[in-house]
Amino acid sequence: MTTFIENTTPESATDQAPVAHRPRPVRQKPKRSFIHGLITNKKALVGMTLMVAFIAVALLAPFLFPGDPSRITALASQEPSPEHWLGTTAKGQDVLALTVHGSRSSLFVGLTVGLASTFIGILVGLASAYFGKFIDESLSLLTNVFLLLPGLPLLVILAAFLPTGLGTVILVLVVTGWAGSARVLRSQALSIRSKDFVAAAVVTGERAGRIMFREILPNMASIVMGTLLGCVIYGIGAQAGLEFLGLGDVSTVSWGNNLFWAGNEGALLTGSWWVFVPSGVCIALVAFALALINYAVDEVTNPRLRKIKAPKTTERSAAK
């Protein structure tokens, strides 16, 4: 005789039975945009803050110190004081006014040289990588010639024979500064030229200009950005070097000319450190800010350089 054993376990007991802990599915975070990555990067924040501050000072220079900054306003070689925060030069000029107004010329030359050199580098690099053969050989030969020429003597020769002026300084720096960016961009464009999506665009009959600027160039955004920042640093530093040697327009106010007049007036020999230190510190800070932005761009665009945060341990895992 078969006996049936009735299950007397209440439903509430079965509902309250312990259930094995199952790990929750890990949700993948959406990919961060380039702008969001720069905003959240500490190096980019510091660099952009410094650059915004310098650009704001340069734009507001006519309102902060109206009139001619080279005019004599006090006694010669006065140390920093509440009346003249950075002291005066050997002629009696206010050093702070010269430094603030000098930022306009130096930043303008640096940004112009950076944009022009990068633009020429993009054109030469893309054309050389895309067309190849005779065009590549010709452009590579031209690039190598400019790379092999010594930079400083070429700068001195061009600046000495051309008429003095801000346009001459920009022209000389662009002529001597585009070759390095062209070489870097060409090598990157060559690696992208062999990709399948570029070959598909060629097969579909797309024009060469559209393939270069709509297919290849967007995939070079990070290296183009880095090249631009490097060219801006080169433009500011090279302008200061030329003007310090007396090859610029000494009648204009810039950081390089401030250093030139400080050397001619014997500021270093007399111990007037407040005359040449502000312009030198400004050049160093701008280069430092642009370098920080360049490193931040590399970290945002290159996953290998990102810092991976350790996952936070929950209370349950800590109890176990």
Side-chain angles (χ1 to χ4, degrees):
M1 183 176 179
T2 306
T3 57
F4 295 93
I5 301 174
E6 184 179 358
N7 185 10
T8 59
T9 306
E11 295 180 0
S12 60
T14 57
D15 295 340
Q16 297 177 358
V19 182
H21 175 69
R22 295 180 181 178
R24 295 180 180 179
V26 180
R27 296 181 180 179
Q28 295 183 353
K29 296 182 179 180
K31 294 183 178 180
R32 299 182 303 173
S33 63
F34 178 75
I35 302 298
H36 180 266
L38 283 181
I39 293 175
T40 56
N41 190 285
K42 295 181 179 179
K43 295 179 182 178
L45 285 177
V46 174
M48 288 187 292
T49 302
L50 288 174
M51 285 305 303
V52 168
F54 274 105
I55 293 174
V57 168
L59 294 176
L60 296 176
F63 303 97
L64 296 175
F65 296 94
D68 185 9
S70 301
R71 69 182 186 274
I72 298 174
T73 58
L75 297 177
S77 302
Q78 288 187 347
E79 296 185 0
S81 62
E83 185 178 358
H84 299 282
W85 291 0
L86 295 180
T88 60
T89 65
K91 297 178 181 178
Q93 302 163 329
D94 188 78
V95 176
L96 181 58
L98 292 174
T99 305
V100 171
H101 278 268
S103 63
R104 297 172 63 86
S105 174
S106 297
L107 292 179
F108 174 75
V109 171
L111 292 175
T112 305
V113 171
L115 290 172
S117 300
T118 305
F119 180 72
I120 296 175
I122 289 174
L123 293 180
V124 174
L126 288 178
S128 181
Y130 181 79
F131 293 106
K133 298 181 180 179
F134 176 75
I135 295 179
D136 185 19
E137 293 178 359
S138 302
L139 293 177
S140 297
L141 177 62
L142 181 64
T143 304
N144 291 332
V145 169
F146 278 90
L147 286 175
L148 291 175
L149 289 176
L152 183 59
L154 181 61
L155 283 172
V156 172
I157 291 172
L158 292 177
F161 283 95
L162 293 176
T164 58
L166 202 61
T168 300
V169 174
I170 294 175
L171 177 63
V172 169
L173 297 181
V174 171
V175 169
T176 57
W178 66 270
S181 61
R183 172 54 62 89
V184 174
L185 295 174
R186 173 186 174 273
S187 61
Q188 182 70 14
L190 279 175
S191 63
I192 300 176
R193 176 68 175 82
S194 59
K195 300 295 182 181
D196 294 337
F197 65 89
V198 177
V202 174
V203 171
T204 55
E206 296 288 348
R207 291 179 298 177
R210 189 182 187 281
I211 295 175
M212 288 190 294
F213 293 99
R214 296 292 298 274
E215 301 292 341
I216 299 178
L217 185 59
N219 292 279
M220 299 167 54
S222 61
I223 195 168
V224 168
M225 187 68 177
T227 302
L228 173 62
L229 296 175
C231 289
V232 173
I233 296 174
Y234 162 77
I236 295 175
Q239 182 208 10
L242 281 178
E243 292 177 342
F244 180 73
L245 295 175
L247 298 175
D249 187 2
V250 295
S251 62
T252 61
V253 179
S254 65
W255 292 335
N257 281 329
N258 292 343
L259 297 175
F260 168 75
W261 287 115
N264 281 358
E265 295 168 359
L268 185 61
L269 298 177
T270 59
S272 303
W273 56 267
W274 57 86
V275 178
F276 56 86
V277 166
S279 296
V281 170
C282 288
I283 296 174
L285 285 178
V286 171
F288 175 69
L290 293 173
L292 285 180
I293 299 175
N294 192 9
Y295 290 142
V297 170
D298 289 339
E299 290 181 358
V300 172
T301 55
N302 190 352
R304 296 180 179 179
L305 299 178
R306 297 175 189 168
K307 294 181 180 179
I308 302 175
K309 296 182 179 180
K312 296 181 179 180
T313 57
T314 60
E315 294 180 358
R316 293 182 180 178
S317 59
K320 292 181 179 180

